[in-house]
Amino acid sequence: DLVRSRGLGDVYKRQRYNIALKLASIGDPSSVGPLVKSLRRLFEEPLTSTYEYDDAPHHLVWFCKALKRLGDPRGNMALIEGLRSTDPHVRAVIADDPPDDPRALPELVRLLSDPRSFVRTRAERALVAYRNDPELVRLMAERANATD
């Protein structure tokens, strides 16, 4: 019996996952540029699935976590850009654990109208952390007025 090979594609993806983890654990600010560049490439990858409940690729999750952990404004901006991605899995992964940056707030509110329920749910959960923020109150009022 031959065991099927996972293939070089899986090896490459696993290497990207390991690199993201290692760079985040080191915490060196010089890691931000390469992580941002790699994450933007991931944003451009074709959809892995059109099914809502499929998991996002692990390397995407870990590159996002690595950038959030570093907390650099450049990394935060890349994550905020990801909240505007055409790929619902990218939007969901970032909404699930958004950057600690006030610029993310309007994007999370916008995601409350996302056509994908799994994206909306993650945005709702993320916004709970901002429940006492006056900016959230203002954005929600604007949103309510726009739908009237």
Side-chain angles (χ1 to χ4, degrees):
D1 292 331
L2 294 174
V3 176
R4 188 176 160 199
S5 168
R6 292 177 52 105
L8 288 177
D10 286 338
V11 170
Y12 175 64
K13 287 178 183 177
R14 200 167 47 253
Q15 285 174 337
R16 292 191 296 180
Y17 165 84
N18 291 335
I19 289 168
L21 287 175
K22 186 68 171 171
L23 289 174
S25 68
I26 293 170
D28 185 341
S30 67
S31 302
V32 173
L35 281 168
V36 166
K37 186 176 180 181
S38 296
L39 186 64
R40 286 187 173 135
R41 277 196 211 129
L42 290 175
F43 291 168
E44 295 170 3
E45 285 185 358
L47 279 169
T48 55
S49 172
T50 57
Y51 299 108
E52 285 196 9
Y53 300 105
D54 284 352
D55 289 334
H58 292 291
H59 55 285
L60 170 65
V61 172
W62 285 103
F63 270 84
C64 291
K65 285 183 181 295
L67 277 174
K68 181 183 178 185
R69 189 177 297 162
L70 289 168
D72 184 277
R74 295 169 297 160
N76 289 350
M77 196 63 229
L79 293 168
I80 292 165
E81 289 168 13
L83 291 170
R84 299 180 205 118
S85 173
T86 57
D87 184 336
H89 291 103
V90 170
R91 296 192 306 271
V93 164
I94 298 170
D96 201 36
D97 193 16
D100 298 322
D101 189 311
R103 298 174 296 175
L105 191 55
E107 297 301 326
L108 291 167
V109 169
R110 188 184 58 74
L111 291 179
L112 295 175
S113 300
D114 198 273
R116 301 293 185 113
S117 63
F118 71 113
V119 174
R120 290 192 307 270
T121 302
R122 288 181 170 114
E124 289 168 1
R125 282 194 308 234
L127 287 168
V128 168
Y130 294 94
R131 67 181 165 267
N132 297 322
D133 188 317
E135 181 65 6
L136 176 60
V137 173
R138 185 188 68 75
L139 289 167
M140 293 303 287
E142 282 179 8
R143 183 173 183 265
N145 291 335
T147 58
D148 288 345

